[in-house]
Amino acid sequence: TGTGPRRRFHAAGFLQRRLSGGERREVQREILAVLGLPGRPRPRTPAASRAPAAAAPLFMLELYRAVAGEEEEEEEVSRPVLTGFSTQSPQPGSAVSRADTVVSLVNMVEQDRDIFSPRPYWKEFRFDLTQVPAGESVTAAEFRIYKARGVTRHPNNTLHVSIYEIAAEHSNRESDLFLLDVQDLRAGTEGWLVFDVTAASNHWLVDRKYNLGLRLYVETDDGHSIDPGSAGLLGRRGPRSKQPFMVTFFRASPSPARVSR
Amino acid sequence: AAKPPRRRQPKKTNDLPHPNKLPGIFDDVHAADGRQVCRRHELYVSFQDLGWLDWVIAPQGYSAYYCEGECAFPLDSCMNATNHAILQSLVHLMKPEAVPKACCAPTKLSATSVLYYDSNNNVILKKHRNMVVKSCGCH
């Protein structure tokens, strides 16, 4: 009901009232509450260096487009869960359709036992799940890592890539590991590898002390350990658009209790 | 109650309702007496105007549809009326002080998604079910 400079004609032809500073903050607070956020997120790195090239935002943007397309069409298509060797572009699958929230997690720590260390070789990754939404349960979780051609002389040889959850670490002996997923592929293959790590993310959400990360091994057909870097598996030192990340799918718990505002 | 006199049934046709009678799709739907009937309106919330594009990746804004308009008897101009709304409108005619008119409210809602960065640079895709008003009607 305002008048004068506080009202303006919108392009569509109807009168639109300009919000005061207080009203704007109130609107922002309400929208943040709908999104389930306590406050406005403040990403650490500047926007310009985050968005365009990084693998996780690119993947999530593709996922957003797929979900938005589904919402447009209002189709309930049931397709297989996103697992196995795939391209970067996600397909709208049942894991995506069922999820209320999808979070891509940036790899925080990467450790290698590479060709300069005793065998077996491995690569470790760690993700921070402290910011995941409360009151939601994990329906699926994927670890995505890019495989380049590598330095193999035998591109048709089979490689076994296995991913483990680090269950416990010991100072005097090898860590306790829990096998999550295995994939067999040709040494000359190039593209994104997707591993099912749902069990690990469930453990990590139960208690943060279990979050000791993931460990990846590569072996040949005859059981020889191969340095993951030499096999072409890219880590944090790879191009930004091909760095490993984790995607977790959450479903809101059907709790009747809602936060009152 | 006295039996009402028999009326001639109107001739049945296979014609679809006039598209302008479908609420929530077309603008400027008015009842015969000039009142605006229950229909869907749009209020666009621009994330750019809110200065949020440094953390919201997509969409650039949100079409906040809402339902507004009258649910007055007869409800023939509002095709999306429930049986109860028709009955309530009738009772309202008889006892306007005691019984309010039927309400103009969403009849169909759909989901919408937002893609944004959290403070750890993780990217979150959040789906909100039953968030966007697809159509309005009298309840």
Side-chain angles (χ1 to χ4, degrees):
Chain A
T1 57
T3 55
R6 285 166 60 82
R7 301 187 83 179
R8 62 174 172 162
F9 270 100
H10 191 264
F14 55 85
L15 273 172
Q16 195 183 41
R17 193 164 64 86
R18 205 181 289 275
L19 298 175
S20 70
E23 285 173 321
R24 181 181 287 262
R25 277 192 293 279
E26 200 63 39
V27 167
Q28 291 188 6
R29 212 177 5 249
E30 283 297 323
I31 299 174
L32 288 171
V34 170
L35 288 170
L37 297 170
R40 184 187 188 288
R42 305 269 176 199
R44 286 175 198 157
T45 33
S49 62
R50 271 195 324 257
L58 281 174
F59 173 83
M60 292 297 283
L61 199 56
E62 288 292 313
L63 203 62
Y64 167 82
R65 287 182 185 135
V67 170
E70 271 193 344
E71 282 161 8
E72 263 320 281
E73 293 167 16
E74 290 180 334
E75 280 178 355
E76 286 295 324
V77 185
S78 183
R79 291 185 196 141
V81 180
L82 301 172
T83 50
F85 196 88
S86 78
T87 58
Q88 165 73 339
S89 299
Q91 301 152 350
S94 53
V96 184
S97 303
R98 279 198 308 267
D100 293 303
T101 308
V102 185
V103 182
S104 75
L105 300 149
V106 179
N107 175 30
M108 309 292 281
V109 180
E110 187 175 303
Q111 290 186 53
D112 287 290
R113 187 190 271 181
D114 54 19
I115 47 173
F116 305 109
S117 324
R119 291 186 185 191
Y121 308 130
W122 45 251
K123 220 177 199 3
E124 277 185 7
F125 308 90
R126 204 171 279 198
F127 304 92
D128 182 5
L129 273 79
T130 52
Q131 298 249 331
V132 300
E136 301 204 14
S137 53
V138 176
T139 58
E142 297 169 349
F143 171 67
R144 292 181 162 252
I145 186 164
Y146 193 85
K147 188 188 170 311
R149 285 187 67 83
V151 290
T152 179
R153 279 178 293 168
H154 306 287
N156 287 331
N157 285 0
T158 304
L159 295 179
H160 305 278
V161 185
S162 43
I163 192 106
Y164 291 83
E165 177 190 351
I166 303 169
E169 284 176 328
H170 308 285
S171 55
N172 53 348
R173 61 182 170 94
E174 192 53 57
S175 302
D176 296 340
L177 303 174
F178 177 75
L179 179 64
L180 295 168
D181 201 2
V182 186
Q183 279 189 43
D184 297 338
L185 49 109
R186 293 269 170 86
T189 310
E190 189 165 1
W192 285 93
L193 295 176
V194 185
F195 294 92
D196 184 355
V197 294
T198 310
S201 60
N202 272 322
H203 292 158
W204 298 344
L205 284 169
V206 169
D207 197 329
R208 280 182 210 165
K209 74 178 179 198
Y210 297 131
N211 186 357
L212 301 170
L214 302 172
R215 188 182 284 188
L216 182 142
Y217 289 90
V218 183
E219 284 180 340
T220 58
D221 246 351
D222 49 7
H224 280 288
S225 176
I226 293 184
D227 167 38
S230 309
L233 290 157
L234 301 181
R236 288 179 94 177
R237 286 187 287 274
R240 293 185 66 227
S241 63
K242 288 171 181 163
Q243 289 182 353
F245 60 96
M246 196 174 134
V247 188
T248 313
F249 300 84
F250 296 91
R251 177 107 179 141
S253 308
S255 163
R258 300 297 298 253
V259 179
S260 61
R261 304 208 314 275
Chain B
K3 207 174 178 181
R6 284 185 71 182
R7 284 190 189 164
R8 280 180 64 189
Q9 289 281 322
K11 192 183 165 189
K12 279 187 180 172
T13 65
N14 289 326
D15 291 345
L16 292 166
H18 191 277
N20 281 346
K21 284 192 172 183
L22 293 173
I25 302 172
F26 297 92
D27 289 335
D28 304 322
V29 183
H30 289 87
D33 56 0
R35 285 170 296 140
Q36 193 188 72
V37 297
C38 172
R39 70 175 183 89
R40 193 178 73 156
H41 300 253
E42 186 185 351
L43 177 73
Y44 187 75
V45 179
S46 165
F47 292 152
Q48 189 166 14
D49 286 357
L50 290 171
W52 281 3
L53 289 190
D54 62 329
W55 65 276
V56 177
I57 304 168
Q60 298 229 320
Y62 170 68
S63 288
Y65 295 110
Y66 62 97
C67 301
E68 196 187 27
E70 264 202 278
C71 288
F73 190 81
L75 290 173
D76 56 350
S77 56
C78 186
M79 304 296 282
N80 257 344
T82 60
N83 284 343
H84 177 265
I86 295 165
L87 214 58
Q88 183 163 332
S89 306
L90 266 170
V91 182
H92 166 78
L93 271 183
M94 292 186 280
K95 289 191 169 182
E97 297 82 20
V99 180
K101 283 181 185 175
C103 287
C104 176
T107 50
K108 197 178 170 194
L109 297 159
S110 69
T112 190
S113 301
V114 186
L115 187 69
Y116 61 93
Y117 283 104
D118 70 6
S119 303
N120 280 354
N121 282 348
N122 297 322
V123 182
I124 298 175
L125 172 65
K126 203 162 177 69
K127 188 191 274 184
H128 298 272
R129 293 173 199 275
N130 301 327
M131 187 77 181
V132 182
V133 176
K134 298 298 277 185
S135 59
C136 299
C138 295
H139 287 250

